[in-house]
Amino acid sequence: MILRSAVDNFAHSAAGLRLRRRLFKGSKTYWEERYAKGGTSGAGSYGKQAEWKAEIVNAWVSELGVTSVIDLGCGDGNQLSLARYPRYLGLDRSSTAVWKCIERFSDDPTKSFLRYDPEDLWDPAGWLRGDLALSMEVIFHLVEDEVFDDYMSRLFDCAERFVVICSNDSVGTEQAPHEKHREFTKWVGQKRPEWTLDRRVDPPEDVDLMSSFFLYKRAD
């Protein structure tokens, strides 16, 4: 018991986190292996957390008259099962996650799915577009700086009118090697100044979630 306690303490220490980061294979490999082994998108996509997230986005989609949603990081589809979107395209880098969604929603003609890899994707014609572009607790899992920058660029380039981001907006609070917390609002202000933050909604006290919602709209 003493040995196990010492191991657990090290694993959750700053030194343990640094070691796990050195052994980390990268975000792309991590998520594919996680889904392939039967893992899920995480606790935030289930239970009360998922219900609150769905409540916020569904309300905005209805209020703003959103006609289509493109989701950059659809995961295993459990969060999507609570969504009410007129037309939906889910993208993910994990082929296992995409096939899970295809199987789960195969009878729903309003939903499409596509595996995408930024290294093999070039879309200047704008086929991958939605009235609203959605990022649901993805940003803090983009541990590589170049992957983060590419993802943010694609997220805003995919949006016709609105961008909805569910994430934290802070640095230095990571608990796992597959996390890197960022002040993404600074990136938006510097790289996409034509987009303005219209609303921010923080989770209620009874919802155990570190993320808040940020609604951006294109400036007139």
Side-chain angles (χ1 to χ4, degrees):
M1 291 296 295
I2 295 176
L3 178 58
R4 178 177 297 178
S5 177
V7 171
D8 289 342
N9 289 338
F10 176 78
H12 290 89
S13 68
L17 180 57
R18 288 194 295 270
L19 176 60
R20 286 183 289 157
R21 281 179 176 166
R22 286 198 295 271
L23 299 174
F24 186 58
K25 299 177 183 179
S27 55
K28 177 182 177 180
T29 300
Y30 170 81
W31 285 101
E32 175 56 31
E33 290 184 351
R34 175 168 169 156
Y35 288 125
K37 292 177 181 178
T40 71
S41 293
S45 296
Y46 289 78
K48 186 175 290 188
Q49 296 98 316
E51 292 171 3
W52 177 75
K53 288 157 65 178
E55 178 183 345
I56 297 297
V57 182
N58 288 340
W60 283 349
V61 167
S62 176
E63 174 194 343
L64 300 171
V66 170
T67 59
S68 60
V69 172
I70 182 168
D71 183 2
L72 276 71
C74 59
D76 62 16
N78 195 72
Q79 181 69 59
L80 179 61
S81 68
L82 303 173
R84 297 192 301 271
Y85 308 148
R87 191 162 59 93
Y88 172 90
L89 173 60
L91 308 178
D92 206 282
R93 297 186 73 178
S94 167
S95 58
T96 301
V98 169
W99 276 110
K100 285 178 181 288
C101 290
I102 291 173
E103 292 174 357
R104 183 167 188 170
F105 300 101
S106 60
D107 295 330
D108 188 341
T110 69
K111 294 178 175 62
S112 298
F113 300 94
L114 177 68
R115 181 194 176 275
Y116 86 106
D117 191 325
E119 298 175 1
D120 301 317
L121 179 63
W122 179 243
D123 186 35
W127 287 102
L128 299 180
R129 292 282 177 86
D131 200 20
L132 181 152
L134 178 63
S135 174
M136 196 78 87
E137 293 203 297
V138 173
I139 290 174
F140 56 78
H141 289 305
L142 307 176
V143 299
E144 303 90 351
D145 291 342
E146 66 278 7
V147 173
F148 164 75
D149 191 72
D150 181 82
Y151 176 89
M152 293 296 293
S153 297
R154 293 182 188 276
L155 178 68
F156 281 85
D157 290 347
C158 284
E160 298 286 357
R161 291 199 295 152
F162 304 103
V163 172
V164 170
I165 295 173
C166 183
S167 184
N168 64 335
D169 188 43
S170 59
V171 297
T173 53
E174 300 87 352
Q175 297 296 320
H178 62 277
E179 293 182 7
K180 183 171 184 178
H181 297 179
R182 305 173 185 271
E183 293 180 301
F184 70 87
T185 54
K186 289 186 176 180
W187 185 99
V188 179
Q190 295 170 358
K191 302 292 184 68
R192 291 296 186 274
E194 70 275 20
W195 290 84
T196 59
L197 180 61
D198 186 65
R199 307 176 200 178
R200 171 175 174 162
V201 179
D202 299 322
E205 292 184 359
D206 63 337
V207 174
D208 184 16
L209 200 68
M210 68 178 178
S211 299
S212 298
F213 271 106
F214 300 77
L215 170 63
Y216 285 90
K217 66 178 182 179
R218 192 187 297 273
D220 297 332

